Amino acid sequence: MLEIEHLTRRFGGLVAVDDVSTVIEQGRINAIIGPNGAGKTTFFNLINGTFAPTSGRIRFRGQEIGGLRVDEIARLGIARTFQTTTLFNHASVLDNLIVGHRLRTQSTLWDVLAHTARLRNDERICREKARDALDFVGLSPIANRLAGDISQEERKRVAFALALSTEPSLVLLDEPAGGLNPEETEGLSELIRKFVQHGLTVCLVEHKMNMIMKLADKIMVLNYGKKIAEGAPAAIRVNPAVIDAYLGSEHAEV
Ligand SMILES: Nc1ncnc2c1ncn2[C@@H]1O[C@H](COP(=O)(O)OP(=O)(O)O)[C@@H](O)[C@H]1O
Ligand SMILES: [Mg+2]
């Protein structure tokens, strides 16, 4: 689904992503782990167009996407969530989804405003899509609550719904379980499995090792921007280089 070849991104003298080649496999849960600062979020930022690669290639379903704009990549079918979920706290959950969808698919604020003014018919379709996304993540009962009044776990689910609202085929999830208790983490894992059951491909960055080991089909390990290992969870768990760089340290949460 996504082929990454020799992907590199420098920030001044720092090589945040260093010559990484990998494949994100269709219909699977592809996980990325590694210590803080390893380049995981930057890897996502390159795939979704937040940053252009310094060098290397990113092919999505055969098409080169490295250097395209965020909205262009969103419309091709790649969505993402962020480590922190920023919502409009004084708007309803449903309205957050409607606005969020436009912010993801329009290239400028002018487009967002023009679009919002223009469309009465679109408005209805947009609302239906937003409701479908909320239904999928189990948040229909709180669609009309203010986003500022919902729980941390519900915010995470809103972030998932926002990602789904652009009808992606690939979803990048950046530490979705951060700050959640084990029970909430299990609920979110269930939801991630549901993504795959519905034909989506998932790429997941997460620190919670129990969750990753149970959920991932494949794990890539980054350290100082470099890929140091890749394989099935059982193999990664006992890989000496991985234990040395990550699993043996305090970085990995259980
Ligand atoms: N926009 C940026 N400008 C400069 N340095 C950055 C930027 N984004 C990330 N970095 C640096 O790149 C490295 C990798 O960061 P990041 O991808 O956020 O790591 P991770 O998500 O694995 O914790 C870090 O050293 C970070 O400080
Ligand atoms: Mg990060």
PDB file of all heavy atoms in Angstrom, residues 40-41 83 174-175, ligand 2:
ATOM      1  N   LYS A  40       9.657   9.023  14.966  1.00  0.00           N
ATOM      2  CA  LYS A  40       8.372   8.389  14.631  1.00  0.00           C
ATOM      3  C   LYS A  40       7.360   9.416  14.105  1.00  0.00           C
ATOM      4  O   LYS A  40       6.717   9.209  13.079  1.00  0.00           O
ATOM      5  CB  LYS A  40       7.801   7.659  15.872  1.00  0.00           C
ATOM      6  CG  LYS A  40       8.781   6.657  16.479  1.00  0.00           C
ATOM      7  CD  LYS A  40       8.216   5.952  17.698  1.00  0.00           C
ATOM      8  CE  LYS A  40       7.892   6.855  18.880  1.00  0.00           C
ATOM      9  NZ  LYS A  40       9.069   7.488  19.511  1.00  0.00           N
ATOM     10  N   THR A  41       7.214  10.518  14.844  1.00  0.00           N
ATOM     11  CA  THR A  41       6.253  11.542  14.408  1.00  0.00           C
ATOM     12  C   THR A  41       6.715  12.194  13.106  1.00  0.00           C
ATOM     13  O   THR A  41       5.898  12.461  12.217  1.00  0.00           O
ATOM     14  CB  THR A  41       6.056  12.592  15.519  1.00  0.00           C
ATOM     15  OG1 THR A  41       5.479  11.946  16.662  1.00  0.00           O
ATOM     16  CG2 THR A  41       5.137  13.719  15.068  1.00  0.00           C
ATOM     17  N   GLN A  83      -0.520  13.362  18.421  1.00  0.00           N
ATOM     18  CA  GLN A  83      -0.272  12.946  19.806  1.00  0.00           C
ATOM     19  C   GLN A  83      -1.195  13.670  20.771  1.00  0.00           C
ATOM     20  O   GLN A  83      -1.629  13.110  21.758  1.00  0.00           O
ATOM     21  CB  GLN A  83       1.196  13.204  20.173  1.00  0.00           C
ATOM     22  CG  GLN A  83       2.096  12.054  19.762  1.00  0.00           C
ATOM     23  CD  GLN A  83       3.562  12.339  20.031  1.00  0.00           C
ATOM     24  OE1 GLN A  83       4.285  12.791  19.147  1.00  0.00           O
ATOM     25  NE2 GLN A  83       4.001  12.078  21.238  1.00  0.00           N
ATOM     26  N   ASP A 174      -0.889   8.382  15.843  1.00  0.00           N
ATOM     27  CA  ASP A 174       0.308   8.765  16.613  1.00  0.00           C
ATOM     28  C   ASP A 174       0.014   8.701  18.111  1.00  0.00           C
ATOM     29  O   ASP A 174      -0.636   9.588  18.654  1.00  0.00           O
ATOM     30  CB  ASP A 174       0.775  10.166  16.203  1.00  0.00           C
ATOM     31  CG  ASP A 174       2.233  10.421  16.590  1.00  0.00           C
ATOM     32  OD1 ASP A 174       2.813   9.594  17.326  1.00  0.00           O
ATOM     33  OD2 ASP A 174       2.784  11.450  16.144  1.00  0.00           O
ATOM     34  N   GLU A 175       0.495   7.651  18.748  1.00  0.00           N
ATOM     35  CA  GLU A 175       0.319   7.415  20.189  1.00  0.00           C
ATOM     36  C   GLU A 175      -1.127   7.619  20.652  1.00  0.00           C
ATOM     37  O   GLU A 175      -1.393   8.419  21.550  1.00  0.00           O
ATOM     38  CB  GLU A 175       1.284   8.300  20.999  1.00  0.00           C
ATOM     39  CG  GLU A 175       2.733   7.977  20.669  1.00  0.00           C
ATOM     40  CD  GLU A 175       3.724   8.522  21.699  1.00  0.00           C
ATOM     41  OE1 GLU A 175       3.345   8.637  22.873  1.00  0.00           O
ATOM     42  OE2 GLU A 175       4.858   8.816  21.293  1.00  0.00           O
TER      43      GLU A 175
HETATM   44 MG    MG B   2       6.250  11.535  18.529  1.00  0.00          MG
END
